[in-house]
Coordinates of all heavy atoms in Angstrom, one line a residue:
M265 N 73.9 -50.0 -54.8 CA 74.9 -50.5 -55.6 C 74.5 -51.8 -56.2 O 73.9 -52.6 -55.6 CB 76.2 -50.7 -54.7 CG 77.3 -51.3 -55.5 SD 78.8 -51.8 -54.6 CE 78.7 -51.2 -53.0
R266 N 74.9 -52.0 -57.5 CA 74.7 -53.2 -58.2 C 76.0 -53.8 -58.5 O 76.9 -53.1 -59.0 CB 73.9 -53.0 -59.4 CG 72.4 -52.6 -59.1 CD 71.7 -52.3 -60.4 NE 70.4 -51.9 -60.1 CZ 69.6 -51.3 -61.0 NH1 70.0 -51.1 -62.2 NH2 68.4 -50.9 -60.6
V267 N 76.2 -55.1 -58.3 CA 77.4 -55.8 -58.6 C 77.1 -57.0 -59.3 O 76.2 -57.7 -59.0 CB 78.2 -56.1 -57.3 CG1 79.5 -56.9 -57.6 CG2 78.5 -54.9 -56.5
A268 N 77.8 -57.3 -60.4 CA 77.6 -58.5 -61.2 C 78.9 -59.2 -61.4 O 79.9 -58.5 -61.6 CB 77.0 -58.2 -62.6
F269 N 78.9 -60.5 -61.3 CA 80.1 -61.3 -61.6 C 79.8 -62.1 -62.9 O 78.9 -62.8 -62.9 CB 80.4 -62.2 -60.4 CG 80.7 -61.5 -59.1 CD1 79.7 -61.2 -58.2 CD2 82.0 -61.1 -58.9 CE1 80.0 -60.6 -57.0 CE2 82.3 -60.4 -57.7 CZ 81.3 -60.1 -56.8
V270 N 80.7 -61.8 -63.9 CA 80.5 -62.5 -65.1 C 81.8 -63.2 -65.6 O 82.9 -62.8 -65.1 CB 80.0 -61.5 -66.2 CG1 78.7 -60.9 -65.9 CG2 81.1 -60.4 -66.4
G271 N 81.7 -64.1 -66.4 CA 82.9 -64.8 -66.9 C 82.6 -66.1 -67.6 O 81.4 -66.5 -67.6
K272 N 83.6 -66.8 -68.0 CA 83.3 -68.1 -68.7 C 82.9 -69.1 -67.7 O 83.2 -69.0 -66.5 CB 84.5 -68.5 -69.5 CG 85.7 -68.9 -68.7 CD 86.8 -69.4 -69.6 CE 87.8 -70.3 -68.9 NZ 87.2 -71.5 -68.4
G273 N 82.4 -70.2 -68.1 CA 82.0 -71.3 -67.2 C 83.2 -71.9 -66.5 O 84.3 -72.0 -67.0
G274 N 83.0 -72.1 -65.2 CA 84.1 -72.7 -64.4 C 85.1 -71.6 -63.9 O 86.1 -72.0 -63.3
S275 N 84.8 -70.4 -64.0 CA 85.7 -69.3 -63.6 C 85.5 -68.9 -62.1 O 86.3 -68.1 -61.6 CB 85.6 -68.1 -64.5 OG 84.3 -67.5 -64.4
G276 N 84.5 -69.4 -61.4 CA 84.3 -69.1 -60.0 C 83.3 -68.1 -59.7 O 83.3 -67.6 -58.6
K277 N 82.4 -67.8 -60.7 CA 81.4 -66.7 -60.5 C 80.5 -67.0 -59.3 O 80.2 -66.2 -58.5 CB 80.6 -66.6 -61.7 CG 81.3 -66.1 -62.9 CD 80.4 -66.1 -64.2 CE 79.8 -67.4 -64.6 NZ 80.7 -68.4 -65.0
T278 N 80.0 -68.3 -59.2 CA 79.1 -68.6 -58.1 C 79.9 -68.5 -56.7 O 79.3 -68.0 -55.8 CB 78.6 -70.0 -58.3 OG1 77.8 -70.1 -59.5 CG2 77.7 -70.5 -57.1
T279 N 81.1 -69.0 -56.7 CA 81.8 -69.0 -55.4 C 82.1 -67.5 -55.0 O 81.8 -67.2 -53.8 CB 83.2 -69.7 -55.6 OG1 82.9 -71.1 -55.9 CG2 84.0 -69.7 -54.3
V280 N 82.5 -66.7 -55.9 CA 82.8 -65.3 -55.6 C 81.5 -64.6 -55.2 O 81.5 -63.8 -54.3 CB 83.6 -64.6 -56.8 CG1 83.7 -63.1 -56.5 CG2 85.0 -65.2 -56.9
S281 N 80.5 -64.8 -56.0 CA 79.2 -64.2 -55.7 C 78.7 -64.5 -54.3 O 78.2 -63.7 -53.5 CB 78.1 -64.6 -56.7 OG 78.5 -64.2 -58.0
A282 N 78.8 -65.8 -53.9 CA 78.3 -66.2 -52.6 C 79.2 -65.6 -51.5 O 78.7 -65.1 -50.5 CB 78.4 -67.7 -52.5
L283 N 80.5 -65.6 -51.7 CA 81.4 -65.0 -50.7 C 81.1 -63.5 -50.5 O 81.1 -63.0 -49.4 CB 82.9 -65.2 -51.1 CG 83.4 -66.7 -50.9 CD1 84.7 -66.8 -51.6 CD2 83.4 -67.1 -49.5
F284 N 80.9 -62.8 -51.7 CA 80.6 -61.4 -51.6 C 79.3 -61.1 -50.9 O 79.2 -60.2 -50.1 CB 80.6 -60.8 -53.1 CG 80.4 -59.3 -53.1 CD1 81.5 -58.5 -52.8 CD2 79.2 -58.8 -53.5 CE1 81.3 -57.1 -52.8 CE2 79.0 -57.4 -53.5 CZ 80.1 -56.6 -53.2
A285 N 78.3 -61.9 -51.3 CA 76.9 -61.7 -50.7 C 77.0 -61.9 -49.2 O 76.5 -61.1 -48.4 CB 75.9 -62.6 -51.3
R286 N 77.7 -62.9 -48.7 CA 77.9 -63.2 -47.3 C 78.6 -62.1 -46.6 O 78.3 -61.7 -45.5 CB 78.5 -64.5 -47.1 CG 77.6 -65.7 -47.3 CD 78.4 -67.0 -47.1 NE 77.6 -68.2 -47.4 CZ 76.8 -68.8 -46.5 NH1 76.8 -68.5 -45.3 NH2 76.1 -69.9 -46.9
Y287 N 79.7 -61.6 -47.3 CA 80.5 -60.5 -46.7 C 79.6 -59.2 -46.5 O 79.6 -58.6 -45.4 CB 81.7 -60.2 -47.5 CG 82.4 -58.9 -47.1 CD1 83.2 -58.9 -46.0 CD2 82.2 -57.7 -47.8 CE1 83.9 -57.8 -45.5 CE2 82.9 -56.6 -47.4 CZ 83.7 -56.6 -46.2 OH 84.3 -55.5 -45.8
V288 N 78.9 -58.9 -47.5 CA 78.1 -57.6 -47.5 C 77.0 -57.8 -46.4 O 76.8 -56.9 -45.6 CB 77.4 -57.3 -48.8 CG1 76.4 -56.2 -48.7 CG2 78.5 -57.0 -49.9
A289 N 76.4 -59.0 -46.3 CA 75.3 -59.3 -45.3 C 76.0 -59.2 -43.9 O 75.3 -58.7 -43.0 CB 74.7 -60.6 -45.6
S290 N 77.2 -59.7 -43.8 CA 77.8 -59.7 -42.4 C 78.1 -58.3 -42.0 O 78.3 -58.0 -40.8 CB 79.1 -60.5 -42.5 OG 80.2 -59.8 -43.1
R291 N 78.2 -57.3 -42.9 CA 78.4 -55.9 -42.6 C 77.1 -55.2 -42.2 O 77.0 -54.0 -42.0 CB 79.1 -55.2 -43.7 CG 80.3 -55.8 -44.2 CD 81.5 -55.6 -43.4 NE 81.8 -54.2 -43.4 CZ 82.8 -53.6 -42.7 NH1 83.6 -54.4 -42.0 NH2 83.0 -52.3 -42.7
G292 N 76.0 -56.0 -42.2 CA 74.7 -55.5 -41.9 C 73.9 -54.7 -43.0 O 73.0 -54.1 -42.8
L293 N 74.4 -54.9 -44.2 CA 73.8 -54.3 -45.4 C 72.8 -55.2 -46.1 O 73.0 -56.4 -46.0 CB 74.9 -53.8 -46.3 CG 75.9 -52.8 -45.8 CD1 77.1 -52.7 -46.7 CD2 75.3 -51.5 -45.5
P294 N 71.8 -54.7 -46.7 CA 70.8 -55.5 -47.4 C 71.5 -56.1 -48.6 O 72.3 -55.5 -49.3 CB 69.7 -54.6 -47.8 CG 70.3 -53.2 -47.8 CD 71.5 -53.2 -46.8
V295 N 71.1 -57.4 -48.9 CA 71.6 -58.1 -50.1 C 70.5 -58.8 -50.8 O 69.6 -59.4 -50.2 CB 72.6 -59.2 -49.7 CG1 73.1 -60.0 -50.9 CG2 73.8 -58.5 -49.0
V296 N 70.4 -58.6 -52.1 CA 69.5 -59.4 -53.0 C 70.5 -60.1 -54.0 O 71.2 -59.5 -54.7 CB 68.5 -58.5 -53.8 CG1 67.7 -59.4 -54.7 CG2 67.6 -57.8 -52.8
A297 N 70.6 -61.4 -53.8 CA 71.4 -62.2 -54.7 C 70.6 -62.9 -55.8 O 69.7 -63.6 -55.5 CB 72.2 -63.2 -53.9
V298 N 70.9 -62.6 -57.0 CA 70.2 -63.1 -58.2 C 71.1 -64.1 -59.0 O 72.2 -63.6 -59.4 CB 69.7 -62.0 -59.1 CG1 69.0 -62.6 -60.3 CG2 68.8 -61.1 -58.4
D299 N 70.7 -65.3 -59.2 CA 71.5 -66.3 -59.9 C 70.8 -66.4 -61.3 O 69.8 -67.0 -61.5 CB 71.5 -67.6 -59.2 CG 72.5 -68.6 -59.9 OD1 73.0 -68.3 -61.0 OD2 72.8 -69.6 -59.3
A300 N 71.4 -65.7 -62.3 CA 70.8 -65.6 -63.6 C 71.5 -66.6 -64.6 O 71.3 -66.5 -65.8 CB 70.8 -64.2 -64.2
D301 N 72.2 -67.6 -64.0 CA 72.9 -68.6 -64.8 C 71.9 -69.7 -65.1 O 71.0 -70.0 -64.2 CB 74.1 -69.1 -64.0 CG 75.0 -70.0 -64.8 OD1 74.6 -70.6 -65.8 OD2 76.2 -69.9 -64.5
I302 N 71.9 -70.3 -66.3 CA 71.1 -71.4 -66.6 C 71.4 -72.6 -65.6 O 70.5 -73.3 -65.2 CB 71.3 -71.9 -68.1 CG1 70.7 -70.8 -69.0 CG2 70.7 -73.2 -68.3 CD1 69.2 -70.6 -69.0
N303 N 72.6 -72.7 -65.2 CA 73.0 -73.8 -64.3 C 73.1 -73.1 -62.9 O 74.2 -72.7 -62.4 CB 74.4 -74.4 -64.6 CG 74.3 -75.0 -66.0 OD1 73.4 -75.8 -66.2 ND2 75.2 -74.7 -66.8
Q304 N 72.0 -73.0 -62.2 CA 71.9 -72.3 -61.0 C 72.4 -73.1 -59.8 O 71.9 -74.2 -59.6 CB 70.5 -71.8 -60.7 CG 70.0 -70.8 -61.7 CD 68.5 -70.5 -61.6 OE1 67.7 -71.4 -61.6 NE2 68.2 -69.2 -61.5
H305 N 73.3 -72.5 -59.0 CA 73.8 -73.2 -57.8 C 74.0 -72.2 -56.7 O 74.3 -72.6 -55.6 CB 75.2 -73.8 -58.1 CG 75.1 -75.0 -59.1 ND1 75.3 -74.8 -60.4 CD2 74.7 -76.2 -58.9 CE1 75.1 -75.9 -61.1 NE2 74.7 -76.8 -60.2
L306 N 73.7 -70.9 -56.9 CA 74.0 -69.9 -55.9 C 73.2 -70.1 -54.6 O 73.7 -70.1 -53.5 CB 73.7 -68.5 -56.4 CG 74.1 -67.3 -55.4 CD1 75.6 -67.4 -55.0 CD2 73.7 -66.0 -56.1
G307 N 71.9 -70.5 -54.8 CA 71.1 -70.7 -53.6 C 71.6 -71.9 -52.8 O 71.7 -71.8 -51.5
M308 N 72.0 -72.9 -53.4 CA 72.6 -74.1 -52.7 C 73.9 -73.7 -52.0 O 74.1 -74.0 -50.8 CB 72.9 -75.2 -53.7 CG 73.5 -76.4 -53.1 SD 74.0 -77.7 -54.3 CE 75.3 -76.8 -55.2
V309 N 74.7 -72.9 -52.7 CA 76.0 -72.5 -52.1 C 75.8 -71.6 -50.9 O 76.5 -71.6 -49.9 CB 76.9 -71.8 -53.1 CG1 78.1 -71.2 -52.5 CG2 77.3 -72.8 -54.2
L310 N 74.7 -70.8 -50.9 CA 74.3 -69.9 -49.8 C 73.6 -70.7 -48.7 O 73.3 -70.1 -47.6 CB 73.5 -68.7 -50.3 CG 74.3 -67.7 -51.1 CD1 73.3 -66.7 -51.7 CD2 75.3 -67.0 -50.3
G311 N 73.3 -71.9 -48.9 CA 72.7 -72.7 -47.8 C 71.2 -72.8 -47.8 O 70.6 -73.2 -46.8
V312 N 70.5 -72.4 -48.9 CA 69.1 -72.5 -49.0 C 68.7 -74.0 -49.0 O 69.3 -74.8 -49.7 CB 68.6 -71.8 -50.3 CG1 67.1 -72.0 -50.4 CG2 68.9 -70.3 -50.2
E313 N 67.7 -74.4 -48.2 CA 67.2 -75.8 -48.2 C 66.8 -76.2 -49.6 O 66.1 -75.4 -50.3 CB 66.1 -75.9 -47.2 CG 66.5 -75.6 -45.8 CD 67.5 -76.7 -45.2 OE1 67.4 -77.9 -45.7 OE2 68.3 -76.3 -44.4
E314 N 67.0 -77.4 -50.0 CA 66.7 -77.9 -51.3 C 65.2 -77.7 -51.7 O 64.9 -77.3 -52.8 CB 67.1 -79.4 -51.4 CG 67.0 -79.9 -52.9 CD 67.6 -81.3 -53.1 OE1 68.4 -81.7 -52.2 OE2 67.2 -81.9 -54.1
E315 N 64.3 -77.9 -50.7 CA 62.9 -77.8 -51.0 C 62.5 -76.3 -51.3 O 61.5 -76.1 -51.9 CB 62.1 -78.3 -49.8 CG 62.4 -79.6 -49.2 CD 63.6 -79.5 -48.2 OE1 63.6 -78.7 -47.3 OE2 64.6 -80.3 -48.5
A316 N 63.3 -75.4 -50.8 CA 63.0 -74.0 -51.0 C 63.6 -73.4 -52.2 O 63.3 -72.2 -52.6 CB 63.5 -73.2 -49.8
L317 N 64.5 -74.1 -52.9 CA 65.1 -73.6 -54.1 C 64.1 -73.5 -55.3 O 63.3 -74.4 -55.4 CB 66.3 -74.5 -54.5 CG 67.5 -74.6 -53.6 CD1 68.5 -75.7 -54.1 CD2 68.2 -73.2 -53.6
P318 N 64.2 -72.5 -56.1 CA 63.3 -72.4 -57.2 C 63.7 -73.4 -58.3 O 64.8 -73.9 -58.3 CB 63.5 -71.0 -57.7 CG 64.8 -70.6 -57.3 CD 65.1 -71.3 -56.0
R319 N 62.8 -73.7 -59.2 CA 63.1 -74.6 -60.3 C 64.2 -73.9 -61.1 O 64.2 -72.7 -61.3 CB 61.9 -74.8 -61.2 CG 60.9 -75.8 -60.7 CD 59.7 -76.0 -61.6 NE 60.0 -76.1 -63.0 CZ 59.2 -75.7 -64.0 NH1 58.0 -75.3 -63.7 NH2 59.5 -75.9 -65.2
P320 N 65.2 -74.7 -61.6 CA 66.3 -74.0 -62.3 C 65.8 -73.4 -63.6 O 64.9 -73.9 -64.2 CB 67.3 -75.2 -62.6 CG 66.7 -76.4 -62.0 CD 65.4 -76.1 -61.4
M321 N 66.5 -72.3 -64.0 CA 66.1 -71.7 -65.2 C 66.2 -72.6 -66.4 O 65.5 -72.4 -67.4 CB 66.9 -70.4 -65.5 CG 66.5 -69.3 -64.5 SD 67.5 -67.8 -64.6 CE 68.1 -67.7 -66.2
G322 N 67.1 -73.6 -66.4 CA 67.2 -74.5 -67.5 C 66.0 -75.3 -67.8 O 65.7 -75.7 -68.9
S323 N 65.1 -75.4 -66.8 CA 63.9 -76.1 -67.0 C 62.8 -75.3 -67.8 O 61.8 -75.7 -68.2 CB 63.3 -76.6 -65.7 OG 62.9 -75.6 -64.9
H324 N 63.2 -74.0 -67.9 CA 62.3 -73.1 -68.7 C 63.0 -72.6 -70.0 O 62.6 -71.5 -70.5 CB 62.0 -71.8 -67.8 CG 61.4 -72.1 -66.5 ND1 60.0 -72.3 -66.4 CD2 61.9 -72.2 -65.3 CE1 59.8 -72.6 -65.1 NE2 60.9 -72.4 -64.4
L325 N 64.0 -73.3 -70.4 CA 64.8 -72.8 -71.6 C 64.0 -72.5 -72.8 O 64.2 -71.5 -73.4 CB 65.9 -73.9 -71.9 CG 67.0 -73.4 -72.8 CD1 67.7 -72.1 -72.2 CD2 68.1 -74.5 -72.9
T326 N 63.1 -73.3 -73.2 CA 62.3 -73.1 -74.4 C 61.5 -71.8 -74.2 O 61.5 -70.9 -75.1 CB 61.3 -74.2 -74.7 OG1 62.1 -75.4 -74.9 CG2 60.5 -73.9 -75.9
E327 N 60.9 -71.6 -73.0 CA 60.1 -70.4 -72.8 C 61.0 -69.1 -72.8 O 60.6 -68.1 -73.4 CB 59.3 -70.4 -71.5 CG 58.3 -71.5 -71.4 CD 58.8 -72.8 -70.8 OE1 60.0 -73.1 -70.9 OE2 57.9 -73.5 -70.2
I328 N 62.2 -69.2 -72.2 CA 63.1 -68.1 -72.2 C 63.5 -67.8 -73.6 O 63.5 -66.6 -74.0 CB 64.3 -68.4 -71.3 CG1 63.9 -68.6 -69.9 CG2 65.4 -67.4 -71.5 CD1 65.0 -69.2 -69.0
K329 N 63.9 -68.8 -74.4 CA 64.3 -68.5 -75.8 C 63.1 -67.9 -76.6 O 63.4 -67.0 -77.4 CB 64.7 -69.8 -76.5 CG 66.1 -70.3 -76.1 CD 66.4 -71.6 -76.8 CE 67.9 -72.0 -76.6 NZ 68.2 -73.2 -77.4
E330 N 61.9 -68.4 -76.4 CA 60.8 -67.8 -77.2 C 60.6 -66.3 -76.8 O 60.3 -65.5 -77.7 CB 59.5 -68.6 -76.9 CG 59.4 -69.9 -77.7 CD 59.3 -69.7 -79.2 OE1 59.0 -68.6 -79.7 OE2 59.6 -70.7 -79.9
W331 N 60.7 -66.0 -75.5 CA 60.5 -64.6 -75.1 C 61.6 -63.8 -75.7 O 61.3 -62.7 -76.2 CB 60.5 -64.5 -73.6 CG 60.1 -63.2 -73.1 CD1 58.8 -62.8 -72.9 CD2 60.9 -62.0 -72.9 NE1 58.8 -61.5 -72.5 CE2 60.1 -61.0 -72.5 CE3 62.3 -61.8 -73.0 CZ2 60.5 -59.7 -72.3 CZ3 62.7 -60.6 -72.7 CH2 61.9 -59.5 -72.3
L332 N 62.9 -64.2 -75.6 CA 64.0 -63.4 -76.2 C 63.9 -63.3 -77.7 O 64.2 -62.3 -78.2 CB 65.3 -64.0 -75.8 CG 65.7 -63.9 -74.3 CD1 66.9 -64.8 -74.0 CD2 65.9 -62.5 -73.9
R333 N 63.4 -64.3 -78.3 CA 63.2 -64.3 -79.8 C 62.2 -63.2 -80.2 O 62.4 -62.5 -81.2 CB 62.7 -65.7 -80.3 CG 62.6 -65.8 -81.8 CD 62.2 -67.2 -82.1 NE 60.9 -67.6 -81.8 CZ 59.9 -67.4 -82.7 NH1 60.0 -66.9 -83.9 NH2 58.7 -67.8 -82.3
G334 N 61.2 -63.1 -79.4 CA 60.2 -62.0 -79.7 C 59.6 -62.2 -81.1 O 59.2 -63.3 -81.5
D335 N 59.6 -61.1 -81.9 CA 59.0 -61.1 -83.2 C 60.1 -61.1 -84.3 O 59.9 -60.7 -85.4 CB 58.1 -59.9 -83.4 CG 56.9 -60.0 -82.5 OD1 56.4 -61.1 -82.2 OD2 56.5 -58.9 -82.1
N336 N 61.3 -61.6 -83.9 CA 62.4 -61.6 -84.8 C 62.1 -62.5 -86.0 O 62.1 -63.7 -85.8 CB 63.7 -62.0 -84.1 CG 65.0 -61.8 -85.0 OD1 64.9 -61.8 -86.2 ND2 66.1 -61.7 -84.4
P337 N 62.0 -62.0 -87.2 CA 61.6 -62.9 -88.4 C 62.8 -63.8 -88.8 O 62.5 -64.7 -89.5 CB 61.2 -61.9 -89.4 CG 62.0 -60.6 -89.1 CD 62.1 -60.6 -87.6
R338 N 64.0 -63.5 -88.4 CA 65.1 -64.3 -88.8 C 65.3 -65.6 -88.0 O 66.1 -66.4 -88.4 CB 66.4 -63.4 -88.8 CG 66.3 -62.3 -89.7 CD 67.5 -61.4 -89.7 NE 68.6 -62.2 -90.4 CZ 69.9 -61.8 -90.3 NH1 70.2 -60.8 -89.6 NH2 70.8 -62.5 -90.9
I339 N 64.6 -65.7 -86.9 CA 64.7 -66.9 -86.0 C 63.3 -67.6 -86.1 O 62.4 -67.1 -85.6 CB 65.1 -66.5 -84.6 CG1 66.4 -65.7 -84.6 CG2 65.2 -67.8 -83.7 CD1 66.7 -65.1 -83.2
S340 N 63.3 -68.8 -86.7 CA 62.0 -69.4 -86.9 C 61.4 -70.0 -85.6 O 60.2 -70.1 -85.5 CB 62.2 -70.5 -87.9 OG 63.2 -71.5 -87.5
S341 N 62.2 -70.4 -84.6 CA 61.7 -71.0 -83.4 C 62.7 -71.0 -82.3 O 63.9 -70.7 -82.6 CB 61.2 -72.4 -83.7 OG 62.4 -73.2 -83.9
A342 N 62.3 -71.3 -81.1 CA 63.3 -71.4 -80.0 C 64.3 -72.5 -80.3 O 65.5 -72.4 -80.0 CB 62.6 -71.7 -78.7
A343 N 63.9 -73.6 -81.0 CA 64.8 -74.7 -81.3 C 65.9 -74.2 -82.3 O 67.0 -74.8 -82.3 CB 64.0 -75.8 -82.0
A344 N 65.6 -73.2 -83.1 CA 66.6 -72.7 -84.0 C 67.7 -71.8 -83.4 O 68.7 -71.5 -84.0 CB 65.9 -71.9 -85.2
M345 N 67.4 -71.4 -82.2 CA 68.4 -70.5 -81.5 C 69.5 -71.3 -80.9 O 69.3 -72.4 -80.4 CB 67.7 -69.7 -80.3 CG 66.7 -68.7 -80.8 SD 65.9 -67.8 -79.4 CE 67.3 -66.8 -78.9
V346 N 70.7 -70.7 -81.0 CA 71.9 -71.3 -80.4 C 72.6 -70.2 -79.6 O 72.2 -69.1 -79.6 CB 72.9 -71.9 -81.5 CG1 72.3 -73.1 -82.2 CG2 73.3 -70.8 -82.4
K347 N 73.6 -70.6 -78.8 CA 74.2 -69.6 -77.9 C 74.7 -68.4 -78.6 O 74.8 -67.3 -78.1 CB 75.4 -70.3 -77.2 CG 75.0 -71.3 -76.1 CD 76.2 -71.8 -75.4 CE 75.8 -72.9 -74.4 NZ 76.9 -73.4 -73.7
T348 N 75.1 -68.5 -79.9 CA 75.7 -67.4 -80.6 C 74.7 -66.7 -81.5 O 75.1 -65.8 -82.3 CB 76.9 -67.9 -81.5 OG1 76.4 -68.9 -82.4 CG2 78.0 -68.4 -80.6
T349 N 73.4 -67.0 -81.4 CA 72.4 -66.3 -82.2 C 72.4 -64.8 -81.8 O 72.1 -64.5 -80.6 CB 71.0 -66.9 -82.0 OG1 71.0 -68.3 -82.4 CG2 70.0 -66.2 -82.8
P350 N 72.7 -63.9 -82.7 CA 72.7 -62.5 -82.3 C 71.2 -61.9 -82.3 O 70.3 -62.5 -82.9 CB 73.4 -61.8 -83.5 CG 73.2 -62.7 -84.7 CD 73.0 -64.1 -84.1
P351 N 71.0 -60.9 -81.5 CA 69.7 -60.3 -81.4 C 69.5 -59.6 -82.8 O 70.4 -59.3 -83.5 CB 69.8 -59.3 -80.3 CG 71.3 -59.0 -80.2 CD 72.0 -60.2 -80.6
G352 N 68.3 -59.4 -83.1 CA 67.9 -58.7 -84.3 C 66.6 -57.9 -84.2 O 66.0 -57.9 -83.1
R353 N 66.1 -57.4 -85.3 CA 64.9 -56.6 -85.2 C 63.8 -57.5 -84.7 O 63.6 -58.6 -85.2 CB 64.5 -56.1 -86.6 CG 63.3 -55.3 -86.7 CD 63.0 -54.9 -88.1 NE 64.2 -54.3 -88.8 CZ 64.4 -53.0 -88.9 NH1 63.6 -52.1 -88.6 NH2 65.5 -52.6 -89.5
G354 N 63.1 -57.1 -83.7 CA 62.0 -57.8 -83.1 C 62.4 -58.6 -81.8 O 61.6 -59.1 -81.1
S355 N 63.7 -58.8 -81.6 CA 64.2 -59.5 -80.4 C 64.0 -58.7 -79.2 O 63.9 -57.5 -79.2 CB 65.7 -59.8 -80.5 OG 66.0 -60.6 -81.6
R356 N 63.9 -59.4 -78.1 CA 63.7 -58.7 -76.8 C 65.0 -58.8 -76.0 O 65.5 -59.9 -75.8 CB 62.6 -59.3 -76.0 CG 61.2 -59.2 -76.6 CD 60.2 -59.7 -75.6 NE 58.9 -59.7 -76.2 CZ 58.2 -60.7 -76.5 NH1 58.6 -61.9 -76.1 NH2 57.0 -60.6 -77.0
L357 N 65.5 -57.7 -75.6 CA 66.7 -57.7 -74.7 C 66.4 -57.3 -73.4 O 65.4 -56.5 -73.2 CB 67.8 -56.8 -75.3 CG 68.3 -57.3 -76.7 CD1 69.3 -56.2 -77.2 CD2 68.9 -58.6 -76.7
L358 N 67.1 -57.7 -72.4 CA 66.9 -57.3 -71.0 C 67.7 -56.1 -70.7 O 68.9 -56.0 -71.0 CB 67.2 -58.4 -70.0 CG 66.5 -59.8 -70.3 CD1 67.1 -60.8 -69.3 CD2 65.1 -59.6 -70.1
E359 N 67.1 -55.1 -70.0 CA 67.8 -53.9 -69.6 C 67.5 -53.6 -68.1 O 66.3 -53.8 -67.7 CB 67.4 -52.7 -70.4 CG 67.9 -52.7 -71.9 CD 67.5 -51.5 -72.6 OE1 67.4 -50.4 -71.9 OE2 67.4 -51.5 -73.8
L360 N 68.5 -53.2 -67.4 CA 68.2 -52.7 -66.0 C 68.0 -51.2 -66.1 O 68.8 -50.5 -66.7 CB 69.4 -53.1 -65.1 CG 69.6 -54.5 -64.7 CD1 70.8 -54.7 -63.9 CD2 68.4 -55.0 -64.0
P361 N 67.1 -50.7 -65.3 CA 67.0 -49.2 -65.3 C 68.2 -48.7 -64.5 O 68.8 -49.4 -63.8 CB 65.7 -49.0 -64.5 CG 65.4 -50.2 -63.7 CD 66.1 -51.3 -64.5
P362 N 68.5 -47.4 -64.6 CA 69.6 -46.9 -63.9 C 69.5 -47.1 -62.4 O 68.3 -47.0 -61.9 CB 69.7 -45.4 -64.3 CG 68.9 -45.3 -65.5 CD 67.9 -46.4 -65.5
A363 N 70.5 -47.3 -61.7 CA 70.5 -47.5 -60.3 C 70.1 -46.1 -59.7 O 70.5 -45.1 -60.2 CB 71.8 -47.9 -59.7
P364 N 69.3 -46.1 -58.6 CA 69.0 -44.8 -57.9 C 70.3 -44.0 -57.6 O 71.2 -44.6 -57.1 CB 68.3 -45.3 -56.6 CG 67.8 -46.7 -56.9 CD 68.8 -47.3 -57.8
G365 N 70.2 -42.8 -58.0 CA 71.4 -41.9 -57.7 C 72.5 -42.0 -58.7 O 73.4 -41.2 -58.7
A366 N 72.3 -42.9 -59.7 CA 73.3 -43.0 -60.8 C 73.1 -41.9 -61.8 O 72.0 -41.5 -62.1 CB 73.3 -44.4 -61.5
G367 N 74.2 -41.4 -62.3 CA 74.1 -40.4 -63.1 C 74.2 -39.8 -64.3 O 73.9 -39.0 -65.0

């Protein structure tokens, strides 16, 4: 099963994600928690030691924008991208393959 929590900033996604991950783990089920927010706090909320936390995605923002920009001729550089820049021809979008058993 795949579960994602999405919403606007400050809506409680990290809190709900951490509570859900802890609940599922307490039931003895495997959990992989992914924090794909630029402002990552899920590891900290789950109690991961500060030294073990990965570098925040925000520190890779230029590289992320360049990868997503791809070969889109309408976007001249990562600096030209803003939150509302739509994808276009040549852009790279992320897709998850279907979950096993999904139909």
Side-chain angles (χ1 to χ4, degrees):
M265 172 185 354
R266 293 179 182 162
V267 177
F269 295 96
V270 298
K272 67 176 206 65
S275 62
K277 299 177 297 293
T278 297
T279 302
V280 172
S281 297
L283 290 169
F284 184 76
R286 286 180 183 266
Y287 171 76
V288 171
S290 75
R291 308 282 296 178
L293 299 168
V295 175
V296 175
V298 177
D299 191 347
D301 195 326
I302 289 294
N303 299 310
Q304 294 172 306
H305 295 97
L306 185 60
M308 178 186 66
V309 173
L310 289 172
V312 175
E313 296 293 328
E314 188 171 342
E315 312 80 54
L317 291 171
R319 283 182 39 210
M321 285 178 26
S323 66
H324 302 281
L325 193 54
T326 300
E327 295 94 332
I328 293 168
K329 284 182 173 184
E330 283 295 344
W331 191 88
L332 291 171
R333 183 173 74 89
D335 297 327
N336 187 337
R338 297 181 71 195
I339 304 171
S340 59
S341 69
M345 291 181 74
V346 295
K347 289 181 181 181
T348 57
T349 301
R353 184 180 311 257
S355 297
R356 295 187 185 116
L357 298 176
L358 304 176
E359 290 184 27
L360 288 175

